[in-house]
Amino acid sequence: MPASWSALLRRRRLSLIILASLLVLLPIGCAKLEQTERELVFRIEPGTARWFSGLPAGIEDVQLQSPDLAADESLHAWWWPSSRHDAPTLLYLHGSRWNLTGQLFRIEQLHAMGFSVLAVDYRGFGQSRGALPSERSVYQDALIAWQHLARLQPDPSKRFIYGHSLGGAVAVNLARELAGERQQAQAAGLIVESSFTNLGDVAAAVTNTSLPVRWLLSQEFDSLSKIGEVGIPVLIAHGRDDRYVPSRFSEALFDAANEPKQLLLIDGANHNNGLRMAGNSYRQALQALGLALN
């Protein structure tokens, strides 16, 4: 066999070995990349938030049941009923990092507005057992919690969905899923606070890059493409001084939403204190949508 042919065969054999190795290693690399991405997206802080000093009187610990939960999984929630038996009921969906113990100050403010509140920790957060969360798993957890809330509050005209930050994307997805289930509305209103259009947009903003980082993301949390399909009144609130998620994302969500809708941009508010800084403006914005709390 000519030497040139032998060299060609060796090169071709080497190319096939490299190609086969890539085909074997690529899924492993993608799986590791996705796990790292999910760790960065959810950034779970274990244990109790350092500012948590215990539960107020009236809050009940609840373990939500569902056939969709595996034997080694659980879904923990807090149920805080209003003193009024006919009060509107709100599902609280939190964002990344902190479990319910880090969310109590916001839950207290919503309860003070007149809501009965069901607040849930996604699997992997707080007392909810499970693996590292994903976009799919938190959507599923929100739906399980909503089914429980619907039993607590049978009247759809008194049910609300609230999501903060990443929880805003979970709330938008839940509202769209519910809109597709039946002709009749399953909730009275959707409240989205300090949230974003999609994960790619906020990742580019946080990293301050024009590179197409969305191409690397497996978790989309694409509220922008969904909010026009929720089919219920929408209140979008955002602090003008939010350094983590720019308020322009909420303005874009508002533009994409259908009427009736309200945009509440809160002067002086950051990513976490919008409810407190807004004062009575929150209630007024809900009333402007025809959603009275009293």
Side-chain angles (χ1 to χ4, degrees), residues 39 75 90 219 221 229 245 249 268 273 292:
E39 290 171 351
L75 209 54
L90 177 144
Q219 314 292 292
F221 290 101
E229 303 173 11
V245 181
F249 292 138
N273 66 359

Side-chain angles (χ1 to χ4, degrees), residues 98-204:
W98 301 109
N99 59 45
L100 289 181
T101 62
Q103 308 287 328
L104 181 57
F105 68 98
R106 198 176 291 113
I107 295 170
E108 287 176 320
Q109 291 161 354
L110 289 165
H111 187 263
M113 286 177 65
F115 288 108
S116 294
V117 180
L118 178 68
V120 63
D121 258 334
Y122 315 116
R123 278 170 286 181
F125 279 85
Q127 296 181 42
S128 294
R129 293 181 295 118
L132 179 67
S134 67
E135 182 177 13
R136 179 180 176 275
S137 74
V138 295
Y139 287 168
Q140 188 178 46
D141 294 344
L143 183 57
I144 293 171
W146 181 259
Q147 291 165 345
H148 185 83
L149 181 142
R151 292 190 289 271
L152 294 168
Q153 175 52 269
D155 185 353
S157 69
K158 292 184 178 295
R159 300 177 195 153
F160 289 77
I161 307 169
Y162 171 94
H164 179 264
S165 193
L166 184 70
V170 182
V172 170
N173 184 78
L174 174 62
R176 189 186 70 160
E177 284 189 13
L178 295 174
E181 283 186 357
R182 303 177 186 175
Q183 295 295 325
Q184 183 180 5
Q186 298 300 296
L190 168 67
I191 306 169
V192 179
E193 184 181 341
S194 303
S195 198
F196 49 81
T197 47
N198 56 61
L199 197 60
D201 285 346
V202 77

Side-chain angles (χ1 to χ4, degrees), residues 21-246:
S21 299
L22 286 174
L23 290 173
V24 170
L25 293 175
L26 184 60
I28 298 174
C30 288
K32 180 61 178 175
L33 180 63
E34 181 182 345
Q35 179 179 340
T36 302
E37 176 194 346
R38 286 159 58 190
E39 290 171 351
L40 291 172
V41 167
F42 293 102
R43 296 181 299 136
I44 298 175
E45 291 280 352
T48 301
R50 61 185 180 277
W51 55 88
F52 178 72
S53 58
L55 290 178
I59 292 186
E60 306 169 15
D61 278 304
V62 180
Q63 292 294 333
L64 306 184
Q65 305 297 320
S66 171
D68 294 322
L69 298 175
D72 59 346
E73 295 176 329
S74 66
L75 209 54
H76 172 252
W78 288 342
W79 168 237
W80 196 357
S82 169
S83 57
R84 293 173 41 224
H85 73 279
D86 61 342
T89 304
L90 177 144
L91 176 61
Y92 181 95
L93 298 166
H94 66 69
S96 60
R97 194 175 182 183
W98 301 109
N99 59 45
L100 289 181
T101 62
Q103 308 287 328
L104 181 57
F105 68 98
R106 198 176 291 113
I107 295 170
E108 287 176 320
Q109 291 161 354
L110 289 165
H111 187 263
M113 286 177 65
F115 288 108
S116 294
V117 180
L118 178 68
V120 63
D121 258 334
Y122 315 116
R123 278 170 286 181
F125 279 85
Q127 296 181 42
S128 294
R129 293 181 295 118
L132 179 67
S134 67
E135 182 177 13
R136 179 180 176 275
S137 74
V138 295
Y139 287 168
Q140 188 178 46
D141 294 344
L143 183 57
I144 293 171
W146 181 259
Q147 291 165 345
H148 185 83
L149 181 142
R151 292 190 289 271
L152 294 168
Q153 175 52 269
D155 185 353
S157 69
K158 292 184 178 295
R159 300 177 195 153
F160 289 77
I161 307 169
Y162 171 94
H164 179 264
S165 193
L166 184 70
V170 182
V172 170
N173 184 78
L174 174 62
R176 189 186 70 160
E177 284 189 13
L178 295 174
E181 283 186 357
R182 303 177 186 175
Q183 295 295 325
Q184 183 180 5
Q186 298 300 296
L190 168 67
I191 306 169
V192 179
E193 184 181 341
S194 303
S195 198
F196 49 81
T197 47
N198 56 61
L199 197 60
D201 285 346
V202 77
V206 168
T207 56
N208 193 26
T209 180
S210 59
L211 295 175
V213 292
R214 69 183 69 251
W215 292 357
L216 300 175
L217 299 176
S218 62
Q219 314 292 292
E220 297 180 349
F221 290 101
D222 187 2
S223 295
L224 190 63
S225 68
K226 300 173 184 176
I227 198 164
E229 303 173 11
V230 300
I232 53 176
V234 180
L235 170 60
I236 299 174
H238 211 121
R240 291 185 185 273
D241 293 344
D242 190 333
R243 295 183 301 163
Y244 299 105
V245 181

